[in-house]
Amino acid sequence: MTDHSRHDDAGLSAIISERRRLINLAYRLLGSLSEAEDVVQETYARWYAMSRAQQDAIESPGAWLSKVAGRICLDMLGSARARRERYVGEWIPEPVPEPGQWVSGRMGTAPPDPADRITLDESVSMAFLVVLDAMTPAERVALVLHDVFRYPFAEIAAITGRTPAACRQLASSARRRIRDAAPPAAPAARQAGIVRDFKEALEAGDIGALVGLLDPGATFTADGGGLVSATLHPIEGGERIARYCAGIAARSQGLTRLLERTVNGQPGLVAQYGGVTSTVYAFEIADGRIKHIWAVRNPEKLRSWGVD
């Protein structure tokens, strides 16, 4: 093998090795795994559209790929608002499973590819992604790139077209939003216990136990995307949520299995109908009570979930 071809191989593997980081970056920015895959594909298409001389002139291919992916995400976030206005019902970020439950590929047919997996930490919890979704695109990009991926503000400025000082300000206001919106998370074991109690109370049809597990001011949000039945507006109040969930459980008894699963790195539940995932439930738990339940039913957002 010539030095030149060795250099080619090393360069190619360096470029390909960036894929996982780009998927993780784009997923946090967009809250959609399928859109994140599109962004990464487009980023690589732009790299390979350049001549060899142009590629060689780029000092840090990794930084170049991140910058391009960041800009594509920023553009997509700008147009997402208009798309959301046409979305049927509530829009919830796409949930991701724990690595052992992962089905890779859009339709779950391809063998699992570690490069497509999302690294699970607190920056992908459903509560965090929902707060991110309420931010302006520039705030979201500044916060995720700086606080999660440790990019310097000078690099973020090149992506957003703002000054480093303005990016610092954006990240700071985004951080305040996170602090104001998200209560400190309970330890994972405590959360898992509450989710298990909720599952058991649902299966027993015990409305009193459900009310005891829910915060009186809790919210239940569902996302069917207009493709399957789902409540179009959030349900407010622990007692109303308990009755609603118990009603669903009673109607689907014997048809649906409820399984304890990790959802975006946190304890959650998965409902399976005929062995196929029909709903993924994510929870926000604070002070020993369930504050929020997100029920993702849109089948387009459940493609990464396995079939038992």
Side-chain angles (χ1 to χ4, degrees), residues 162-213:
R162 289 167 159 83
T163 64
C167 292
R168 187 183 297 276
Q169 196 58 48
L170 284 167
S172 170
S173 69
R175 226 172 274 131
R176 266 197 306 278
R177 286 208 202 203
I178 293 280
R179 267 202 308 273
D180 294 347
R190 177 93 176 101
Q191 288 186 54
I194 292 168
V195 169
R196 183 172 300 124
D197 291 346
F198 184 83
K199 171 184 179 281
E200 287 169 2
L202 260 188
E203 289 170 336
D206 189 338
I207 290 175
L210 291 171
V211 171
L213 290 164

Side-chain angles (χ1 to χ4, degrees), residues 25-41:
L25 179 70
Y27 172 72
R28 284 163 176 78
L29 289 178
L30 300 171
S32 163
L33 193 58
S34 55
E35 286 183 5
E37 288 171 347
D38 290 342
V39 166
V40 175
Q41 208 170 334

Side-chain angles (χ1 to χ4, degrees), residues 97-98 100-103 199 202-203 248-249 251-263 268-281 296-297 302-308:
E98 60 190 308
Q101 295 295 319
W102 194 271
V103 177
K199 171 184 179 281
L202 260 188
E203 289 170 336
I248 291 175
R251 284 194 299 277
S252 62
Q253 207 162 27
L255 300 169
T256 300
R257 286 170 73 210
L258 265 185
L259 307 167
E260 292 171 50
R261 291 285 184 264
T262 297
V263 178
L269 295 174
V270 167
Q272 289 191 343
Y273 179 81
V276 178
T277 297
S278 56
T279 312
V280 170
Y281 295 96
V296 181
R297 289 185 42 72
L302 301 178
R303 290 171 177 172
S304 302
W305 291 80
V307 178
D308 280 11

Side-chain angles (χ1 to χ4, degrees), residues 81-216:
R81 226 159 272 279
R83 285 203 311 280
R84 299 284 167 78
E85 282 165 17
R86 299 192 298 272
Y87 196 81
V88 178
E90 298 290 318
W91 188 93
I92 299 174
E94 183 177 343
V96 290
E98 60 190 308
Q101 295 295 319
W102 194 271
V103 177
S104 189
R106 290 278 169 92
M107 301 308 290
T109 52
D113 174 3
D116 287 342
R117 292 195 188 141
I118 301 299
T119 306
L120 301 176
D121 59 25
E122 61 281 359
S123 72
V124 290
S125 76
M126 194 57 80
F128 186 83
L129 290 179
V130 166
V131 180
L132 279 184
D133 198 57
M135 295 179 186
T136 67
E139 275 180 329
R140 188 169 182 165
V141 168
L143 180 84
V144 169
L145 289 181
H146 183 265
D147 286 27
V148 180
F149 289 91
R150 303 290 173 220
Y151 283 55
F153 285 115
E155 280 182 35
I156 299 168
I159 291 168
T160 59
R162 289 167 159 83
T163 64
C167 292
R168 187 183 297 276
Q169 196 58 48
L170 284 167
S172 170
S173 69
R175 226 172 274 131
R176 266 197 306 278
R177 286 208 202 203
I178 293 280
R179 267 202 308 273
D180 294 347
R190 177 93 176 101
Q191 288 186 54
I194 292 168
V195 169
R196 183 172 300 124
D197 291 346
F198 184 83
K199 171 184 179 281
E200 287 169 2
L202 260 188
E203 289 170 336
D206 189 338
I207 290 175
L210 291 171
V211 171
L213 290 164
L214 288 153
D215 187 87

Side-chain angles (χ1 to χ4, degrees), residues 22 26 35 52 56 88 109 142 162 187 229 233 240 245 249 253-254 275 278:
L22 295 174
E35 286 183 5
R52 180 59 197 268
D56 285 346
V88 178
T109 52
R162 289 167 159 83
S229 63
H233 304 288
R240 285 185 65 206
C245 290
Q253 207 162 27
S278 56

